[in-house]
Amino acid sequence: MSDITHLGLDESELERLGALWTAREIAQQPAMLRETQKLLMARRAEIEAFLAPLLAARDLRIILTGAGTSAFAGECLAPVLSTRLGRRVEAVPTTDIVSAPHLYLEADTPTLLVSFGRSGNSPESVAAIELADRLVKTLSHLVITCNADGALAAYGQGARGLTVQLPEPTHDRSFAMTSSFTSMTYAALAVLSGIAVMDERVDAIARATQTVITDYTSVMQAVAAEDYERVVYLGSHIFKGLARESGLKLLELTNGALVTMFDSPLGFRHGPKTIVNARTLIVVFFSNNAYTRSYDVDLLDELRRDNAAARVIAITAQDGVGLPKGDEISIPGLETADDADLLVPFIVAPQILAFFESLRLGLTPDKPNTSGTVNRVVQGVRIHELG
């Protein structure tokens, strides 16, 4: 038996279950945050020299792009980066760019295309860059990737580009992206809003992430054992993107066995709340912003009055929100932090829940889709020639 454990299970048992890589990659996230920041600090002068003249242009448009989980990194970051930079920052998936480039690419607008990719080998990743190069007159590339050998990495090495290669362990070998998602999200936040600024905050973020893993793994394992049939993730503004990623993790790792949904607390009332029944788990991400948080609290109060869901869990960096202790996942040390600093510690509990749901269903988390109809790197995509 191995002496090394991840998420409470030793490596030999995890290997037997087909779960070693998923567990290891979830557990390594605090270390990968620190390693990513260390790498960014070493390249700080180069990165800032590349970005400075681009960001000096008031009409610069920044597109955050990727497919699937990589696209959701952009969804989480676009609102906060737009505010911090005072520039137009939009999250546009590669899958949208490729299918309708005339709707999403502007020929006469100077653009920085920020491309996320775990492997960097998704057909849409390459096609989106090639279309942008063809259709946008003034275009620069920032590539954030976990794979130095991927096709995407090469596109940031030209005269108008820069590739940020993340630590090798972030190139997740599991089917579902976990540490690759958080490392790319963190890296983009740091690169575009201040590497030195994040150097002062990374330890608090990493410590909070580790606390969730240490203190709440057994809680998430117990939640998984309660056998829900539907799981809803809710979050305002940047946490709506995180809710979407949370739902995808559960869908992926359970091979579609659980029904998942994401929305904002306000949007959930407008029809989607009909999904709630006596076997529904609802997870709400709570904002640190007092104004936004008031709407999170209102929705929580409404759900308690309805008494229709099987269970409601709050993930929060603030003091208790009035739920029983076991229904609050408390993020320590970030009570006054910007919401963007909560993205990584907030996503860890949903990742762990998805992991244990996969095991409960008798699946192998490292490769839950045994039919081969869904793959770690998407296959079967035909890129059509643009006339």
Side-chain angles (χ1 to χ4, degrees):
M1 181 177 290
S2 171
D3 292 331
I4 302 174
T5 63
H6 309 289
L7 306 184
L9 300 170
D10 70 78
E11 286 199 336
S12 58
E13 176 67 3
L14 288 167
E15 193 163 16
R16 184 187 70 80
L17 294 168
L20 176 59
W21 288 108
T22 308
R24 180 184 289 172
E25 287 154 6
I26 292 173
Q28 74 183 7
Q29 289 175 105
M32 289 305 102
L33 289 177
R34 292 188 171 98
E35 287 299 311
T36 296
Q37 179 63 26
K38 182 179 178 181
L39 178 153
L40 295 177
M41 285 295 288
R43 296 187 61 189
R44 178 185 169 192
E46 176 192 7
I47 293 169
E48 291 179 350
F50 169 74
L51 288 174
L54 300 176
L55 295 174
R58 297 297 304 177
D59 60 345
L60 178 70
R61 180 191 187 197
I62 301 174
I63 298 177
L64 308 177
T65 193
T69 289
S70 296
F72 304 157
E75 284 191 28
C76 291
L77 293 173
V80 67
L81 289 176
S82 184
T83 299
R84 291 183 183 182
L85 294 172
R87 299 292 183 274
R88 184 179 164 198
V89 182
E90 299 168 83
V92 185
T94 56
T95 46
D96 288 346
I97 293 174
V98 169
S99 63
H102 55 289
L103 294 180
Y104 297 105
L105 299 175
E106 299 173 4
D108 297 320
T109 304
T111 301
L112 172 63
L113 189 69
V114 182
S115 299
F116 297 100
R118 169 173 63 173
S119 71
N121 288 322
S122 296
E124 300 97 332
S125 296
V126 174
I129 283 182
E130 291 176 346
L131 285 166
D133 275 335
R134 175 178 169 182
L135 299 176
V136 181
K137 295 176 184 176
T138 304
L139 181 72
S140 299
H141 295 285
L142 173 62
V143 172
I144 299 177
T145 183
C146 306
N147 181 18
D149 299 322
L152 196 62
Y155 282 91
Q157 296 169 358
R160 293 181 299 139
L162 180 73
T163 293
V164 175
Q165 169 63 48
L166 299 184
E168 191 279 332
T170 68
H171 186 200
D172 292 344
R173 293 176 61 174
S174 173
F175 172 76
M177 293 170 60
T178 53
S179 74
S180 51
F181 169 75
T182 53
S183 297
M184 288 193 294
T185 301
Y186 175 85
L189 178 66
V191 166
L192 291 168
S193 64
I195 295 171
V197 171
M198 293 306 295
D199 200 52
E200 299 175 358
R201 291 150 60 175
V202 65
D203 279 339
I205 298 171
R207 283 195 304 270
T209 304
Q210 184 60 59
T211 297
V212 175
I213 295 169
T214 301
D215 292 356
Y216 292 100
T217 289
S218 60
V219 174
M220 291 297 98
Q221 185 175 13
V223 171
E226 292 171 5
D227 192 22
Y228 300 106
E229 67 177 18
R230 305 175 183 184
V231 181
V232 178
Y233 287 99
L234 302 173
S236 299
H237 57 80
I238 65 173
F239 297 133
K240 185 178 178 183
L242 204 67
R244 188 173 189 180
E245 168 61 11
S246 300
L248 177 62
K249 283 289 95 54
L250 193 57
L251 195 67
E252 289 177 326
L253 287 175
T254 64
N255 198 27
L258 290 183
V259 175
T260 67
M261 175 181 280
F262 77 96
D263 210 323
S264 67
L266 280 173
F268 188 56
R269 294 183 175 95
H270 292 261
K273 200 171 74 161
T274 55
I275 194 175
V276 178
N277 65 13
R279 293 185 63 193
T280 302
L281 169 67
I282 301 176
V283 180
V284 185
F285 298 113
F286 273 70
S287 173
N288 266 359
N289 180 279
Y291 180 78
T292 302
R293 185 180 175 82
S294 64
Y295 290 102
D296 302 335
V297 172
D298 286 350
L299 188 277
L300 180 63
D301 290 343
E302 181 175 319
L303 292 172
R304 295 173 72 184
R305 290 194 304 272
D306 291 344
N307 196 31
R311 187 171 183 178
V312 179
I313 291 176
I315 301 181
T316 176
Q318 299 294 317
D319 290 336
V321 295
L323 289 172
K325 185 176 180 181
D327 291 339
E328 291 185 11
I329 297 175
S330 180
I331 310 297
L334 296 176
E335 295 85 353
T336 62
D338 187 274
D339 277 347
D341 290 5
L342 301 176
L343 287 168
V344 176
F346 271 19
I347 193 61
V348 175
Q351 291 173 345
I352 297 171
L353 175 61
F355 173 80
F356 283 111
E357 288 282 9
S358 186
L359 290 179
R360 178 183 66 81
L361 292 167
L363 300 172
T364 53
D366 290 349
K367 191 177 180 181
N369 181 258
T370 56
S371 69
T373 56
V374 183
N375 299 279
R376 179 178 173 274
V377 179
V378 70
Q379 298 176 15
V381 177
R382 185 169 134 199
I383 303 299
H384 296 272
E385 185 66 28
L386 181 66

